[in-house]
Amino acid sequence: MLRAKQQLGKYRIQRRLSAGPFADVYAALDTVEGVRVALKIPQAALMTKEFLEDFRKEVRLMARLDHASILRLKDASFIGTRFVIAFPLGEGTLADRMRYRLSLRTMLGYAEQMLEAVAHAHANRIIHCDIKPENFILFPGDQLRLTDFGIAKVAHRTIQASGSGTVGYVAPEQAMGRPSLRSDVFSLGLVLCRMFSGHLPEWPYDWPTPGLAKLRERVHPDLIHLIRRAMEVDPRRRFRDAVQMQAALKRVKSRALRGGAKRRKRTTGTTGKSDWKTIRRRQFEKEYGAALQTRFTCPRCGGPVSEPMTTCPWCGAARKVHRDET
């Protein structure tokens, strides 16, 4: 592990942002350009010829994708024995932002950007294979950018691959080793459902989902229909790709905003039922979040939890299985 203030070529390490099974990500200062960057560095013990070729493929994939909603590649090179991939450094992830209250307009803006990014990848026949809130990086002005194409696949119709992705967001057929463009659509549906309702649906993904009541409070029925179609277990009943899903969102966006305005008008002068919960959780995160490492959310109530917690301290739900990254 690299340490703070350690020099790595022209980069000065500031802190580690995340540790994964294949690579660590660090915040660093580019001492030549004078800008802060994120450095993705594969684990040294895994640097075999085959493993290194996988990272080269990721770099080449990202070089092909030129879009405002996809995190651009700054540099990829060897520094000593380390293979280092440099990206612009964001303010956090969509997962971090979803811990706090979001307006309907903001959520719809995020949804548009998510679909723009994935639609651009699909137009280039690239399946991301790991769509989740942690892979959307937030920049100033509420701009989202999609990153981490580490297990992305170039599609020739449907490709054969071992089951990969993040537990909780992976499509059923992808878990069985048969990912397709529709698999990314399914993952997008789960991300949107969690963002708009505060609940992440779980297998067997029966409808109505536990968060349907909150969805109905917040969004137009047409948008609920879009999310439900994206989450269909049968891939043939989903949108064929993110391009088609993006077009559907454009059609319902104005109705969704008007519906949200009407609901706000009806509730003017009243105190939101969950306002005090939001304030309490925000205060908790500020004071104890870092110490307790509450980087995850309870799928039932949306409260902040950490990996070792066997019970949600907010709603009492049992956490016998940890479904996020470990």
Side-chain angles (χ1 to χ4, degrees):
M1 187 178 75
L2 298 176
R3 297 181 297 276
K5 298 184 180 180
Q6 183 174 341
Q7 199 73 23
L8 186 64
K10 66 173 182 175
Y11 303 111
R12 184 182 303 128
I13 302 298
Q14 295 180 325
R15 69 182 191 281
R16 187 169 67 171
L17 297 174
S18 65
F22 305 115
D24 293 336
V25 180
Y26 295 88
L29 176 68
D30 184 327
T31 57
V32 175
E33 297 183 25
V35 297
R36 297 180 70 211
V37 297
L39 302 181
K40 184 175 183 178
I41 304 175
Q43 303 285 3
L46 300 175
M47 289 297 288
T48 63
K49 182 179 179 181
E50 294 78 13
F51 191 74
L52 183 58
E53 185 58 30
D54 287 340
F55 274 90
R56 286 197 178 107
K57 288 178 182 177
E58 178 181 356
V59 170
R60 290 165 189 159
L61 281 174
M62 296 203 70
R64 284 173 52 186
L65 300 174
D66 183 14
H67 192 277
S69 294
I70 293 178
L71 191 65
R72 64 183 177 85
L73 182 71
K74 279 183 64 67
D75 183 46
S77 59
F78 278 97
I79 301 178
T81 58
R82 289 187 173 92
F83 185 56
V84 180
I85 309 172
F87 303 96
L89 182 65
E91 298 178 332
T93 68
L94 178 61
D96 299 327
R97 184 67 182 88
M98 284 164 57
R99 292 169 182 253
Y100 305 102
R101 192 165 184 168
L102 292 166
S103 70
L104 178 62
R105 186 175 293 275
T106 299
M107 288 189 288
L108 282 169
Y110 288 163
E112 278 190 302
Q113 293 180 71
M114 283 188 270
L115 285 169
E116 284 174 2
V118 183
H120 181 74
H122 285 186
N124 284 273
R125 308 306 297 165
I126 293 173
I127 311 170
H128 187 279
C129 291
D130 199 17
I131 300 293
K132 59 182 178 180
E134 289 79 4
N135 280 342
F136 288 98
I137 310 300
L138 188 63
F139 286 83
D142 278 333
Q143 184 179 16
L144 284 182
R145 295 176 184 168
L146 176 62
T147 188
D148 202 354
F149 285 80
I151 55 176
K153 311 293 179 184
V154 179
H156 304 286
R157 296 184 183 174
T158 303
I159 58 165
Q160 297 296 321
S162 59
S164 56
T166 297
V167 175
Y169 293 96
V170 66
E173 73 279 1
Q174 182 178 334
M176 298 296 291
R178 297 188 296 273
S180 70
L181 299 175
R182 296 173 193 261
S183 305
D184 282 350
V185 167
F186 183 86
S187 300
L188 282 167
L190 293 182
V191 173
L192 293 182
C193 188
R194 177 183 169 187
M195 182 170 67
F196 283 106
S197 72
H199 294 268
L200 176 63
E202 298 180 0
W203 176 261
Y205 304 112
D206 292 328
W207 195 271
T209 176
L212 183 59
K214 182 63 71 68
L215 270 176
R216 285 174 172 162
E217 287 177 14
R218 288 185 167 188
V219 303
H220 192 276
D222 288 350
L223 184 54
I224 296 176
H225 176 73
L226 180 147
I227 294 172
R228 182 179 181 180
R229 182 178 173 186
M231 288 172 48
E232 287 283 359
V233 174
D234 184 349
R236 295 169 296 180
R237 301 179 67 180
R238 298 177 207 149
F239 298 101
R240 66 173 177 270
D241 56 25
V243 177
Q244 187 183 33
M245 187 176 174
Q246 180 188 21
L249 180 64
K250 287 180 179 178
R251 289 194 297 270
V252 306
K253 181 186 175 184
S254 59
R255 292 195 293 276
L257 284 172
R258 285 199 300 270
K262 288 178 182 177
R263 275 182 282 275
R264 285 195 300 274
K265 191 173 182 180
R266 285 198 299 267
T267 58
T268 299
T270 63
T271 302
K273 191 184 297 183
S274 62
D275 283 357
W276 66 273
K277 293 182 180 180
T278 303
I279 294 170
R280 181 179 67 174
R281 289 171 182 172
R282 189 177 300 156
Q283 290 173 335
F284 170 85
E285 284 286 271
K286 184 176 180 180
E287 191 164 353
Y288 304 110
L292 295 180
Q293 298 181 6
T294 51
R295 299 189 297 112
F296 310 102
T297 55
C298 172
R300 177 188 286 183
C301 70
V305 295
S306 62
E307 181 179 347
M309 290 181 180
T310 57
T311 305
C312 173
W314 307 98
C315 68
R319 300 185 71 252
K320 295 180 181 179
V321 178
H322 180 69
R323 299 186 180 277
D324 293 287
E325 285 184 320
T326 181

